[in-house]
Amino acid sequence: MLAIQVLINALVLGCLYACIAIGFSLVWGVLNVINLIHGSFIVLGAYLAWGAYNALGLSPWYSLLIAAPAFFVFGYLLQRLLLNRVITAPVLVTLTLTFGLDLILNNAMIYYFKADYRKLILNPPTGSVSIFDVVVPVDRLIATASALALTFLLYLLLRRSKVGRAIVAVRLDRDAAVLMGVNVKSIYAVAFGLGAALAGCAGVLMALIFPISPLTSSAYLGKAFVVCVLGGLGSVSGALAGGLLLALVEGVGSVYLGPAHAVTLSFVLLIIFLVVRPQGLLGRKGFE
C-alpha cells in the first residue's frame, strides 16, 4: 500500500510539475531564452486565485479563465516591448534581463502581499477519496485533471493550429521558417505569451495544494528547470515525462531518505541527465 500511495502521489505531483514546466520549456525551446521570471509568474497566478476567492468568492476554476488571457496578454506585451529588443543578443543578455524583471516582480509581490505564507482554503472543503487505504484529496485530483487538460490543449494547439505549426517550425529551423513566410517576431511573442499563460494557470492550480508566498518563486523555477532537462526542450510529452520522473524520484526519496533529501536527489538526477543524455528523455539531439 505504501508503494501504491507513493505512485499515486507521484502521478498527481508529476502532472502539476509538467504544467509548471511546460511554459518554461516552450519559451526556452522556441526563443532560446531562459525565462527566470517564470517562477514569479506562477506565484502571481497563485495570488490571483487566492485574492479572487477571498475577495470575490470566485472559485479557482473560474480563476483559470481569468489567468489564461490575462497572463497571455502580459507575456505577449513583455516580449514585444522588452525581450524582442535583445532576442538576438547572447543568452547572457536575455538571462540578465529576465533576472532583472524577476527581481522587480518578486519584490513588488513582497511589497503588496508581504513574505508571509498564505493558503487558499476552500469552504466547504472538497474532502478526499480513499480506496483500499490509499488516500487522495479531491482538490489534488481536480488540479491534476486540470493540469492534464491544459497540457493536452497546448498539444492540440501546437499540432492542429496554424500558429502552433508555425511555433514548431520556428523551433526546428528559424531561417527555414522565415523563408516559408512565418513572422518570427510575432511567433516569439505568441510563444512567450503562451508560456506566461501556462505559468499563471499552473499557479492557480498550485494554490489549491501548497502555501503561497513570493519566496517560493525560486523553488518553482528550479522545478521547471529540472523537468525541462529531464524531458527535453520544447516538447509537451517531454515535459509530462520529465514531471512524472521528477515526482517519482522525489516521492521515493522522501520515503526512504527523508523529505529533506528529495530536492537533493532531483538535482543529482539533473546532473546525471546533463552528462549522459543532455537532450532529455524525449528531446531531439541537437536541440538540448
Side-chain angles (χ1 to χ4, degrees):
M1 284 303 166
L2 177 61
I4 295 175
Q5 184 72 64
V6 170
L7 288 175
I8 294 297
N9 290 340
L11 178 62
V12 170
L13 278 180
C15 293
L16 293 174
Y17 285 170
C19 191
I20 286 174
I22 195 169
F24 185 77
S25 176
L26 182 67
V27 171
W28 191 358
V30 176
L31 281 72
N32 195 30
V33 171
I34 302 175
N35 183 22
L36 298 184
I37 199 175
H38 188 80
S40 292
F41 280 160
I42 295 173
V43 174
L44 189 60
Y47 273 119
L48 172 65
W50 175 82
Y53 185 77
N54 286 283
L56 305 174
L58 193 64
S59 169
W61 322 123
Y62 292 111
S63 295
L64 286 173
L65 301 178
I66 300 174
F71 276 83
F72 176 83
V73 172
F74 182 40
Y76 185 95
L77 294 176
L78 189 63
Q79 201 284 332
R80 273 290 198 180
L81 299 176
L82 290 177
L83 282 171
N84 199 44
R85 299 176 181 272
V86 296
I87 198 68
T88 57
V91 174
L92 182 61
V93 176
T94 55
L95 190 71
T96 304
L97 178 58
T98 57
F99 176 70
L101 292 172
D102 178 62
L103 287 178
I104 293 172
L105 180 56
N106 196 262
N107 281 280
M109 288 191 292
I110 291 176
Y111 178 79
Y112 284 106
F113 301 113
K114 311 305 177 187
D116 299 332
Y117 283 85
R118 306 170 190 269
K119 186 69 176 72
L120 176 58
I121 301 175
L122 298 179
N123 186 23
T126 54
S128 60
V129 176
S130 179
I131 303 176
F132 300 113
D133 295 329
V134 177
V135 180
V136 183
V138 174
D139 54 359
R140 290 199 175 201
L141 289 175
I142 297 176
T144 300
S146 301
L148 285 174
L150 290 171
T151 303
F152 183 66
L153 286 174
L154 179 64
Y155 178 82
L156 289 181
L157 176 68
L158 294 177
R159 295 294 178 182
R160 302 293 177 85
S161 68
K162 184 177 180 180
V163 67
R165 290 193 293 270
I167 290 173
V168 174
V170 170
R171 179 190 181 270
L172 294 176
D173 193 326
R174 175 190 169 188
D175 295 332
V178 172
L179 293 176
M180 294 297 102
V182 176
N183 187 333
V184 174
K185 289 185 177 180
S186 294
I187 293 301
Y188 279 166
V190 170
F192 197 89
L194 286 173
L198 288 166
C201 291
V204 172
L205 299 178
M206 298 304 284
L208 291 167
I209 302 172
F210 298 106
I212 307 165
S213 171
L215 303 179
T216 60
S217 64
S218 58
Y220 289 138
L221 180 63
K223 300 288 186 189
F225 193 94
V226 174
V227 171
C228 285
V229 173
L230 297 182
L233 290 181
S235 170
V236 175
S237 55
L240 185 58
L244 291 173
L245 177 59
L246 176 62
L248 181 61
V249 169
E250 288 187 349
V252 173
S254 296
V255 171
Y256 293 102
L257 298 177
H261 298 287
V263 176
T264 303
L265 283 176
S266 66
F267 281 97
V268 169
L269 186 64
L270 169 67
I271 294 172
I272 293 173
F273 264 75
L274 287 174
V275 174
V276 177
R277 189 176 174 81
Q279 70 268 28
L281 290 172
L282 301 179
R284 292 179 53 188
K285 192 172 183 178
F287 289 93
E288 63 269 18

